Amino acid sequence: MDVWNRMKAEGVTIRVRGQVQGVGFRPFIWQLAREFGLRGRVWNDPEGVGIEVAGPGTDAFIAAISARAPGLSRIDAVEVAAFAGALPEGFEIAESRGKGAQTRVTPDAATCPDCAAEIRGAGRRGGYAFTNCTHCGPRFTILRGLPYDRAQTTMAAFPMCADCLSEYRDPADRRFHAQPVACPACGPRLWLEVGGQERPGDPVAQAALRLKAGEVLAVKGLGGFHLACDAANATAVARLRDRKHRPSKPLALMGRAADLARVAVLGDADLALLHDPAAPVVLVPSRGVLPDGVAPGMATLGVMLPYTPLHHLLCDAFGGPLVMTSGNLSGEPQVVGNDEARKKLGGFADAFLCHDRDIARRLDDSVERATPPMVLRRARGRVPGTLPLPPGFGGAGQVLALGGQMKGAICLVKNGQALLGHHLGDLDDALCAEEFGKAVADYTALFDHRAEVVAVDAHPGYRATQAGRAMGLPLVEVFHHHAHLASCLAENGWPLEGGPVAGIVLDGTGLGPDGTIWGGEVLLGDYLGFERHAALRPAPLPGGDRAARDPWRNALMRLDQAGLTDWADELFGGRPLDTVRQAAARGINAPQSSSAGRLFDAFAAVLGLCADAQTYEGEAAMRLEAMAGGAGQGLPFAVSGGLIDPAPLWAEVRRAIRRGEPRGLLAWRFHAGLAAAFAGVARDLVLRGAARAVVLSGGCFQNPLLHDLTVQALGDVPVLTHRVTPANDGGLALGQAVIAAARGLRGAERN
């Protein structure tokens, strides 16, 4: 008998690593072992799933583990070794072993078809808002520790009744070892309250009636509260906006697929993404039938399907699309607790739809686009999913990266994986900064992470940077736009020795090595370093941060720079132009910046969009993209000596407006001209052999028109883009993490 046959007869140990807890993996292994006539055991532990098994069907069993794994699982490795210990006569699911975490944790998953049908049926879970099974339901939002067992979740407060326990123990049941299993007899409870008083009767039916009457409701979901109202009721939408002090930022919608199809254009890719277990908010073209107040000035809507039984029941009872926006004070984190909701949302909501299952961590809804594929906000349903480190990063130490100031997110590197955390908001807000600190403690404890180095943005004023410096660990400072480039490289698996790339990095602002504010760059570099090959011609940001809020300030600087002072006076008369000009000329609170984001603001202001103020980040650029239509010659930029100068476009725009050219066409031509200018520089680097590919990163590439026009202008050169991590600052921590890991590996080699 050869060694392998002897191992099979005596037994093997199998270690399965990856996203294998909370996905029904142990019952899957149990059923597989019975199918192949094997004896042994399976268990959860900090490293994933362990299996000890023996029998003649071992080969087929091992092959089937990867080939037939549960849909929510993600297998990183299946490792096999000899085992000579005692095994049971049959096959059993053993108790979990150990504490801590080497394994991946499963994100929350939308209600599966079986559970959705069950809550609409006449059985004991008919109408039950907390129905779930091994294929769906809460995971990360209820998890307090690993291994993933009920006692380590917020469901520990709800002991299973005899019926649920029977299902939980039955290998033939889809609830076999489903940790959040519950029913009306033993699980969480739902109620509707008004003025702090619980109302008798069916809470979902009452909630639907109130929504139909135009009221605003606070609804407790998976990762926090939403504020909901009738999306077709202009008065209700206006009431919600007024109460929340959110004058124009688009509001997300929730509805059944048929409801959404009546208000939005849903392609096959959109429908596939909407039905993904992550159930993100998906940006899709609007049909223009809803009140303008839902998404003022936008050509798209953010829509999502119901992703919990409660949402399914509410949408069924209401019968149309609902506004479903984060329940929070403007700029603050989403509310998660019932008492917190009563205190903070009492002025917003006419009634509260509450339940008594605690939320372990607050998670906003993920926001994504199907065409072109991109993630704008990485949160519920996507975290804590991990990315494998690219080739060449084997042996990388444990790194903690803390991201930037806007769209905060952290990243952990451990065991060859990078875990990019969830969206934490803008750290300018004190409560968001507090949530950032909690997230660092939460992730490092949950995943048993022991950072050897901390990576931060080079800007000394960022709260995340200051937090990193206070940790007392070796510190790696990473320049903002280098981190953008590296994050796209890492997502695309670009090897450590893959060679240099040309990075087109377009965003709002970030500190550059020369001490100025960057934002429109062509970088030549890799994980270990970079040089600035070209940049948008700098212009002052008069008023500093005010320039990001008042687009006319940026337009004034760009028009003056182009020698069109008279046109600036004509367009923006009545504003303090002379005062701003004088301050800029003296360099008083007017830092020089190459920001592409501020150029978008300037162009939008010239076309009459948001000239006086933006009420949310990126509003002017988003309205400009929504306005763009038609096709024509891109507006001219001058490219010479490492500068990409927009000065020539302004005279052409002035002439075009005077001859009556549609402003939508001018908006399109601006996008095309910007794309062509930057693409031409990057493409040349590849064609000359200085770079091996082009990377597109930075928040401006959330704009699908700019993204597509840039890809087209690059032609046949290799292009790397963001698809599963944000191009905006939500992806910075990933870039920081791999840069720090690369430096650590190079340092180890030198030593």
Side-chain angles (χ1 to χ4, degrees):
M1 184 182 294
D2 61 31
V3 174
W4 177 241
N5 285 331
R6 188 166 59 252
M7 280 176 58
K8 288 188 292 183
E10 296 177 356
V12 295
T13 293
I14 304 169
R15 163 62 58 198
V16 186
R17 303 184 188 277
Q19 186 173 293
V20 290
Q21 294 189 17
V23 297
F25 209 89
R26 289 177 295 173
F28 159 70
I29 292 295
W30 184 93
Q31 291 164 349
L32 207 60
R34 286 173 59 90
E35 177 182 336
F36 290 106
L38 305 180
R39 58 193 179 92
R41 60 180 66 91
V42 61
W43 68 91
N44 279 346
D45 64 19
E47 295 185 63
V49 167
I51 308 165
E52 294 166 349
V53 67
T58 300
D59 283 345
F61 171 80
I62 293 171
I65 290 175
S66 295
R68 293 163 53 182
L72 294 180
S73 66
R74 300 291 184 272
I75 294 178
D76 295 335
V78 178
E79 303 164 358
V80 182
F83 173 73
L87 291 174
E89 287 305 312
F91 195 91
E92 65 183 29
I93 294 180
E95 292 294 322
S96 296
R97 305 176 183 178
K99 299 289 184 182
Q102 303 285 339
T103 190
R104 287 156 64 179
V105 174
T106 304
D108 301 276
T111 308
C112 71
D114 286 337
C115 286
E118 189 174 9
I119 63 172
R120 294 183 173 105
R124 67 191 183 92
R125 290 193 178 88
Y128 185 54
F130 305 95
T131 300
N132 64 84
C133 69
T134 55
H135 308 302
C136 68
R139 299 292 191 274
F140 194 46
T141 50
I142 63 170
L143 185 66
R144 296 197 189 279
L146 289 173
Y148 176 68
D149 288 313
R150 192 181 184 97
Q152 301 264 60
T153 73
T154 60
M155 286 298 295
F158 303 96
M160 281 183 269
C161 66
D163 288 336
C164 285
L165 189 59
S166 175
E167 293 168 329
Y168 180 84
R169 290 174 173 172
D170 181 1
D173 196 287
R174 76 176 194 277
R175 294 189 170 87
F176 186 41
H177 279 251
Q179 301 307 326
V181 63
C183 75
C186 64
R189 188 177 69 89
L190 183 71
W191 69 90
L192 184 93
E193 65 177 61
V194 180
Q197 299 298 313
E198 182 176 338
R199 293 299 176 96
D202 181 346
V204 172
Q206 293 181 71
L209 288 174
R210 288 179 173 273
L211 289 166
K212 290 176 182 178
E215 292 189 4
V216 175
L217 263 64
V219 180
K220 189 175 183 180
L222 268 184
F225 274 81
H226 287 107
L227 290 170
C229 73
D230 180 356
N233 185 329
T235 302
V237 173
R239 182 180 295 120
L240 172 57
R241 286 197 176 280
D242 181 63
R243 291 177 179 178
K244 198 178 178 185
H245 304 294
R246 184 175 174 173
S248 54
K249 190 174 183 180
L251 300 168
L253 304 179
M254 177 181 283
R256 300 167 301 184
D259 299 327
L260 298 181
R262 287 193 289 269
V263 301
V265 180
L266 305 178
D268 290 343
D270 302 316
L271 287 167
L273 185 55
L274 284 166
H275 284 97
D276 187 275
V281 175
V282 180
L283 301 182
V284 295
S286 172
R287 293 191 184 276
V289 299
L290 289 175
D292 291 340
V294 171
M298 296 294 110
T300 58
L301 296 172
V303 303
M304 58 182 157
L305 294 173
Y307 56 83
T308 71
L310 171 57
H311 293 133
H312 279 281
L313 295 168
L314 184 61
C315 287
D316 284 355
F318 180 74
L322 291 166
V323 166
M324 196 68 72
T325 188
S326 295
N328 63 323
L329 299 174
S330 182
E332 290 190 2
Q334 188 177 21
V335 169
V336 295
N338 294 337
D339 289 339
E340 181 187 17
R342 295 179 187 110
K343 177 181 177 182
K344 291 191 173 183
L345 304 182
F348 299 171
D350 299 298
F352 291 78
L353 194 55
C354 296
H355 61 74
D356 56 356
R357 185 180 67 203
D358 288 342
I359 297 171
R361 56 188 56 77
R362 51 187 103 216
L363 288 180
D364 288 295
D365 296 311
S366 291
V367 180
E368 305 183 14
R369 192 185 296 275
T371 309
M374 62 177 69
V375 172
L376 289 82
R377 184 167 72 196
R378 180 179 165 89
R380 178 197 49 76
R382 297 300 183 197
V383 291
T386 65
L387 296 169
L389 292 179
F393 280 86
Q398 295 194 33
V399 178
L400 169 64
L402 299 182
Q405 185 80 348
M406 307 290 284
K407 298 176 176 61
I410 66 172
C411 185
L412 312 182
V413 166
K414 180 180 178 181
N415 293 341
Q417 298 284 324
L419 194 168
L420 179 62
H422 62 280
H423 171 80
L424 295 166
D426 297 340
L427 304 193
D428 287 331
D429 178 81
L431 290 178
C432 288
E434 183 180 330
E435 285 300 309
F436 165 82
K438 291 179 181 177
V440 172
D442 177 32
Y443 275 70
T444 54
L446 185 61
F447 299 102
D448 193 25
H449 191 265
R450 296 180 175 86
E452 299 161 22
V453 62
V454 60
V456 298
D457 193 281
H459 195 301
Y462 284 1
R463 281 180 162 169
T465 300
Q466 294 165 357
R469 288 179 170 175
M471 288 181 178
L473 292 167
L475 193 74
V476 173
E477 294 187 346
V478 179
F479 283 104
H480 193 91
H481 296 88
H482 188 202
H484 272 307
L485 180 148
S487 68
C488 190
L489 288 179
E491 174 183 330
N492 284 276
W494 190 261
L496 180 57
E497 302 293 346
V501 297
I504 303 177
V505 187
L506 306 181
D507 66 355
T509 57
L511 181 66
D514 61 358
T516 66
I517 305 300
W518 290 12
E521 324 301 321
V522 179
L523 306 181
L524 181 62
D526 57 15
Y527 297 108
L528 291 166
F530 70 98
E531 62 183 52
R532 190 191 205 186
H533 185 76
L536 195 66
R537 180 185 175 185
L541 297 179
D545 289 343
R546 287 201 64 180
R549 298 192 296 270
D550 305 342
W552 70 266
R553 294 171 178 266
N554 302 293
L556 177 66
M557 294 296 99
R558 287 297 182 182
L559 292 176
D560 283 359
Q561 199 176 62
L564 297 173
T565 301
D566 63 325
W567 195 31
D569 291 343
E570 177 186 331
L571 288 172
F572 305 115
R575 298 169 181 85
L577 305 186
D578 289 341
T579 301
V580 169
R581 282 171 170 146
Q582 291 170 14
R586 297 173 183 172
I588 300 172
N589 194 24
Q592 292 288 318
S593 174
S594 59
S595 169
R598 301 293 77 79
L599 181 63
F600 268 91
D601 294 348
F603 197 87
V606 166
L607 295 191
L609 299 173
C610 305
D612 285 320
Q614 302 191 77
T615 64
Y616 60 90
E617 183 196 6
E619 179 180 7
M622 290 170 64
R623 286 179 179 254
L624 185 68
E625 188 269 328
M627 173 189 279
Q633 185 70 34
L635 291 173
F637 284 69
V639 182
S640 177
L643 284 182
I644 300 172
D645 189 355
L649 72 83
W650 300 110
E652 169 60 18
V653 170
R654 189 181 195 182
R655 289 190 295 269
I657 290 175
R658 287 176 172 174
R659 64 176 178 259
E661 188 168 310
R663 297 190 180 221
L665 178 56
L666 284 172
W668 189 95
R669 292 180 64 197
F670 170 76
H671 284 80
L674 182 67
F678 277 88
V681 175
R683 177 179 167 81
D684 182 64
L685 285 170
V686 177
L687 296 179
R688 290 195 288 108
R692 297 186 179 180
V694 177
V695 159
L696 306 184
S697 192
C700 291
F701 282 113
Q702 295 176 142
N703 178 326
L705 178 60
L706 179 66
H707 176 283
D708 289 348
L709 288 171
T710 305
V711 171
Q712 291 172 23
L714 286 166
D716 57 357
V717 302
V719 182
L720 308 179
T721 63
H722 291 270
R723 297 170 65 90
V724 298
T725 63
N728 60 41
D729 284 6
L732 280 177
L734 173 61
Q736 294 168 353
V738 291
I739 288 169
R743 291 180 187 175
L745 289 167
R746 281 292 173 268
E749 288 177 6
R750 286 194 294 270
N751 293 335

